[in-house]
Structure formats: structure tokens, C-alpha cells
Amino acid sequence: MSESVKLKRFNMMIKKQLLLILAVTTLGYVNTVYSQSPINGFMQGKGKGNVSVSYSSEKYNEVYLVPDFVDGVPVFNEVQISSASLYATYGITDQLEVVLSLPYISAEGNASQEVLDNLNFENKRSGLQDVSVFVKYNPFYFDYGSSSVRLIASVGVKTPVGSYDENEGLQSIIAIGNRSTTVSALGLAMFKMDSGFFATGQFGGNFATNDVPNSTFSELKLGYAVSKFYGDAFLANQVSTSGVDILGEGFQGFFPATRVSYTKIGVNLYTPIYKEFGIGTGISTLLAGRNIGKATGVYGALVYKF
């Protein structure tokens, strides 16, 4: 078989996969909507806070579409997303604090060199993503002796700081963000016992630019927190209130406009190790979703409390 015939057959195979390729693109948009809420039920106190540096990694090769669940990622075969993040909180008063986070994201595919050469693609995209700043206010605290209830309100903004591109066509399967400025608002209630057991629930909304759909989100968390140990299990959910399905009616190939919903569970653990320093770790996985990949991720963090 001549080289020209081989090339034609290869190009035909690629074209047949293009529609399926479109279906996995939204998984490259690594942003905070796929993460836990940055707001928890604990207050730092005036002049106190913490700074943490974390590393996380997740991989996917399956995708939740509408109506099908797709096994395998065409072109890139599978995608691994890694991030190094800075996270900090500071108590301005006993009732008011600020929360900041900034991730550096790396998304890497596993496409063959032949595919990369024929499509003029690259196997990696990386860079600074979006900075998030939240203000957290605790107006109500009720003490019942051996237990307490805390009510918290929070508002924040997430905006791009890196020079990444969110609209490179099919190369955007491994884009690191959607270049949306998003305002988020939420309310949280926390019940805590003196023994250390606690439960929190929160609900809020994301209001985005760049044609990214708005969404509602919620999180339920059960945990145990004492001086030498912290652990929790959580269930998180997001539902987009608008947008289009990949390959569905109204879809025009601009992936940030896709309706993304998911249900996610996970576990977080933390323990102090030396004076003000501690270490944290966790794992999470998606149970269900819409226009999103079935990813399982792990992280580790070094935390400094002051």
C-alpha cells in the first residue's frame, strides 16, 4: 500500500472520530467548579490564618455525555491533569476573613506522534489558571453548651491571570481553563459538637462571563475535627442552569458554553506534624455527570498555620 493511500485512510479515520472528539473537550477545562468549595464552616479568628501549598493529580479516559457514556478519549487516548496550588486564609476579624487560591495547571494527553503530526496538535498545555478571592462572613453563632451552630455567608470572584487559550478547536481537549470571570455567592450552615463531630451544608450560585453557563452548587460534609486530627467525607453537586450539550441542538463548537453538571464524593484528612506545620491529603471521584469526564483525583498538601 502506498504512503499516499495510508495517509488518506488515516485522515478518514480521524474525520470519523471528530464528533466523538468534540465530546471530551470540556474535560480539559480544569477550574474550580470541578473542585470542592473553597469555603468551609471553620473561622480562623482575628489575625490568624493558614497558607498551604498542594499538588493534585487526576486522570480520565471515560466521559459522561448526553445520552451516552463514552469509553476512551480519541486523539489523546487519556488525559492527566496535574496542579500545584497556593491557598491562603486570613482572619480580618473573628467574624470576617478572606480566602485566596491560585493554581498552576498542567494538562497532558497521550496521543501518538503520528496523530500529533497529522493534526498539528501538542500533547500538553500548562500555565497559571485563575485566581480566586472570597470574603467570608459569620454573622450568627449559637452556643448550646455541648454543641453549636454557625451560619456563614460568602461572596467571591474568580478571574483568569494566565495567558492560556480556551478556544483552540480540538486542541482544547487539554485546555486548562475557560477564561471566564465568575462571581460566586453562597450560604453555609455548620453544626458542631464539643466531641469534634460536625456537619455542614452549603448552597450557592456561580454567575459567569464568556458564554459560560451559570450554575448552582451544593455540598454536604460530615467530619471529625480535634487538635491532632481532622477528617471529613463530602458529597458535592453542580447543576448548570443553561448552556448546550456537546453535539446537541445549538452546539456551535465553543466548548465553554457547554452545560456541565456533576455529582462528586470524596474524603479529606489532615494532621499536624511539627509546631505550626501540618500535612493534608484527600481523594475524590465523580459518580455522575453531564458533558464531563469520569475523573478520580488525589492530592497532598503542606500547611502552615499562624
Side-chain angles (χ1 to χ4, degrees):
M1 184 182 299
S2 68
E3 289 300 319
S4 61
V5 172
K6 288 182 179 179
L7 182 58
K8 287 181 179 179
R9 289 188 177 182
F10 176 81
N11 289 336
M12 289 178 63
M13 177 188 69
I14 292 297
K15 289 178 180 179
K16 288 179 180 179
Q17 294 189 56
L18 288 184
L19 290 180
L20 186 56
I21 294 168
L22 298 177
V24 300
T25 303
T26 28
L27 252 294
Y29 296 120
V30 188
N31 60 60
T32 55
V33 301
Y34 301 149
S35 308
Q36 297 173 65
S37 170
I39 305 302
N40 58 41
F42 295 91
M43 301 297 293
Q44 301 297 315
K46 183 178 179 179
K48 299 179 181 180
N50 67 71
V51 178
S52 67
V53 178
S54 65
Y55 177 82
S56 65
S57 180
E58 67 179 40
K59 182 183 293 187
Y60 65 87
N61 55 23
E62 299 172 304
V63 185
Y64 292 107
L65 296 183
V66 178
D68 300 316
F69 180 72
V70 177
D71 185 7
V73 181
V75 177
F76 290 100
N77 299 312
E78 65 180 17
V79 175
Q80 179 158 351
I81 301 164
S82 304
S83 68
S85 299
L86 173 68
Y87 176 89
T89 64
Y90 179 75
I92 299 172
T93 70
D94 287 340
Q95 294 176 290
L96 182 69
E97 66 184 55
V98 62
V99 181
L100 178 144
S101 65
L102 177 63
Y104 181 93
I105 306 290
S106 176
E108 189 166 356
N110 191 30
S112 69
Q113 191 60 50
E114 184 180 16
V115 170
L116 296 176
D117 291 343
N118 276 275
L119 297 178
N120 196 28
F121 284 1
E122 298 177 355
N123 252 337
K124 187 175 183 179
R125 286 288 184 266
S126 61
L128 285 174
Q129 196 214 42
D130 305 334
V131 64
S132 297
V133 180
F134 279 79
V135 175
K136 178 180 172 183
Y137 180 54
N138 173 208
F140 301 109
Y141 178 80
F142 305 97
D143 190 343
Y144 300 108
S146 61
S147 63
S148 62
V149 171
R150 189 188 301 274
L151 301 180
I152 291 173
S154 181
V155 63
V157 63
K158 174 180 69 69
T159 192
V161 292
S163 58
Y164 64 86
D165 195 336
E166 87 286 14
N167 192 19
E168 296 184 283
L170 300 177
Q171 175 68 67
S172 294
I173 290 173
I174 55 173
I176 65 168
N178 56 28
R179 298 206 68 79
S180 168
T181 294
T182 302
V183 175
S184 301
L186 65 92
L188 180 150
M190 176 179 181
F191 172 78
K192 187 176 184 300
M193 303 175 66
D194 288 350
S195 61
F197 290 101
F198 69 89
T200 64
Q202 62 178 275
F203 180 83
N206 296 313
F207 308 93
T209 64
N210 197 26
D211 293 324
V212 175
N214 296 334
S215 60
T216 61
F217 60 90
S218 61
E219 184 178 274
L220 297 175
K221 184 178 290 186
L222 298 176
Y224 180 70
V226 291
S227 61
K228 299 298 183 181
F229 176 80
Y230 172 93
D232 74 53
F234 69 89
L235 172 68
N237 179 262
Q238 175 186 287
V239 178
S240 290
T241 58
S242 61
V244 297
D245 290 314
I246 296 175
L247 306 183
E249 183 178 355
F251 179 72
Q252 298 179 350
F254 184 61
F255 299 103
T258 302
R259 173 178 293 195
V260 176
S261 302
Y262 66 86
T263 299
K264 183 178 189 178
I265 60 170
V267 173
N268 299 294
L269 300 172
Y270 169 83
T271 186
I273 53 173
Y274 179 73
K275 294 185 177 181
E276 291 83 10
F277 289 92
I279 54 173
T281 188
I283 185 171
S284 62
T285 189
L286 266 71
L287 297 179
R290 180 172 185 158
N291 301 309
I292 187 173
K294 182 174 173 56
T296 295
V298 296
Y299 79 90
L302 177 64
V303 183
Y304 173 74
K305 293 189 174 185
F306 58 90

